[in-house]
Amino acid sequence: LSGYYQQWEIHFSAKYLKQKGNTLSFVMKNLKHGAGIMYDAIRLGVAPQQKLVFQDDFSRNELGENWISEWDKAKGSSVGLKDEKLWIDTEGGISVWLNQKLPQNVRIECTRKVVVEGKPNDRLSDLNFFWSCQNPKFERKTDGNFAAYDSLALYYVGIEGNYNSTTRLRKYDGRGERVLWQEKNDKEHLLKENTNYKVVLEVNKGQVSVWVNGKLYFTQKDPNPLGGGYFAIRSTKSREIAPPIVTGK
């Protein structure tokens, strides 16, 4: 079983925070890196009338209490901070949760790049997220296996999972049902290697939406919307780096 390598880079600077109308935005210098899935920026917040409630520059030696990682701690795997970056190197699935409950109406933005350079763990697949998770149950000490989350209540998007073949929007109902809301399998929605993808996840008064590079991939009205909850970057067998994470309220 070949492992996979992820590298996330997260860095904050106050001068990149800008106010535009009623929407708080986070502007990040474009990062250049030769490997992994690259997040150029991540923004979490709600509109209108936002205020900053969380930020992290990872300028320390330990991940700390703000983040909880769930992963298979197999031999040769590791998760930690180095040079103000979040480094992940695991053989199985992994979820890294922001250990802070976000509001019901929320907007999350990030840019990712799947880098394929012929290295053993390169795989063009799986730009995935959980959000609005009602009860992550961090104490269960899951190994990050995807099936371990089936019983939770959350929203999930898997952008070109299954080896770049399916893009799916689901609602996990908290009773073991992973309700498939929408799916796209056409060539237009396939990932391309070494390409930036700006992903926006939004919940606004029960309307759940996902944009990729400015295109609306999914929008779905939830008649029983989830309340405020937790956000996680989810991955399986791919390499990535992540710049800053900011939460607004």
Side-chain angles (χ1 to χ4, degrees):
L1 175 66
S2 63
Y4 77 93
Y5 173 77
Q6 302 178 345
Q7 180 190 1
W8 297 356
E9 179 176 334
I10 299 186
H11 176 73
F12 284 99
S13 177
K15 68 181 179 180
Y16 297 127
L17 288 173
K18 295 184 178 181
Q19 187 76 26
K20 183 178 181 181
N22 289 325
T23 302
L24 176 70
S25 66
F26 183 85
V27 180
M28 182 77 185
K29 282 186 176 179
N30 191 38
L31 298 175
K32 296 183 182 297
H33 203 283
I37 298 177
M38 183 170 68
Y39 296 76
D40 280 323
I42 295 181
R43 296 182 286 181
L44 291 83
V46 292
Q49 305 301 328
Q50 296 184 359
K51 65 179 181 180
L52 183 65
V53 296
F54 176 83
Q55 66 177 7
D56 195 342
D57 62 6
F58 287 163
S59 58
R60 55 189 185 277
N61 295 324
E62 302 292 336
L63 196 55
E65 297 181 354
N66 288 330
W67 300 95
I68 296 177
S69 56
E70 299 177 326
W71 52 291
D72 182 3
K73 300 173 179 62
K75 183 178 180 180
S77 297
S78 63
V79 177
L81 299 181
K82 180 181 178 182
D83 300 329
E84 299 185 355
K85 301 175 181 65
L86 174 59
W87 298 78
I88 295 179
D89 185 354
T90 68
E91 290 189 354
I94 184 167
S95 302
V96 179
W97 296 89
L98 176 61
N99 190 20
Q100 180 170 325
K101 189 175 183 179
L102 301 178
Q104 181 178 38
N105 294 323
V106 66
R107 181 180 177 90
I108 303 165
E109 300 184 16
C110 70
T111 300
R112 297 170 65 167
K113 179 194 288 185
V114 182
V115 177
V116 178
E117 300 176 327
K119 296 184 179 180
N121 300 321
D122 286 356
R123 190 174 75 109
L124 187 61
S125 187
D126 288 290
L127 275 72
N128 306 335
F129 298 93
F130 296 135
W131 74 105
S132 300
C133 181
Q134 299 301 286
N135 185 8
K137 300 179 181 177
F138 297 133
E139 70 278 3
R140 68 192 170 184
K141 298 180 180 179
T142 176
D143 62 1
N145 185 288
F146 193 41
Y149 303 97
D150 287 357
S151 64
L152 302 184
L154 53 81
Y155 299 124
Y156 166 80
V157 65
I159 300 175
E160 291 310 323
N162 299 309
Y163 289 86
N164 201 24
S165 64
T166 60
T167 294
R168 293 169 175 167
L169 177 66
R170 294 183 184 270
K171 180 182 180 180
Y172 288 37
D173 68 0
R175 299 184 297 272
E177 291 293 326
R178 301 184 304 134
V179 181
L180 178 61
W181 273 349
Q182 297 183 42
E183 179 174 1
K184 296 184 183 297
N185 301 322
D186 55 287
K187 291 183 179 180
E188 181 182 354
H189 295 91
L190 295 178
L191 293 174
K192 296 179 181 179
E193 59 188 47
N194 307 313
T195 300
N196 287 323
Y197 291 94
K198 186 174 184 178
V199 180
V200 177
L201 314 172
E202 185 177 75
V203 182
N204 185 14
K205 297 180 180 179
Q207 192 74 32
V208 181
S209 304
V210 177
W211 287 266
V212 179
N213 284 348
K215 295 181 180 179
L216 182 61
Y217 272 34
F218 301 117
T219 187
Q220 178 80 31
K221 183 69 173 180
D222 188 351
N224 298 296
L226 299 173
Y230 294 83
F231 161 77
I233 297 173
R234 170 73 191 173
S235 190
T236 301
K237 298 187 70 174
S238 58
R239 300 184 296 148
E240 54 189 84
I241 57 177
I245 294 178
V246 177
T247 301
K249 182 178 180 181

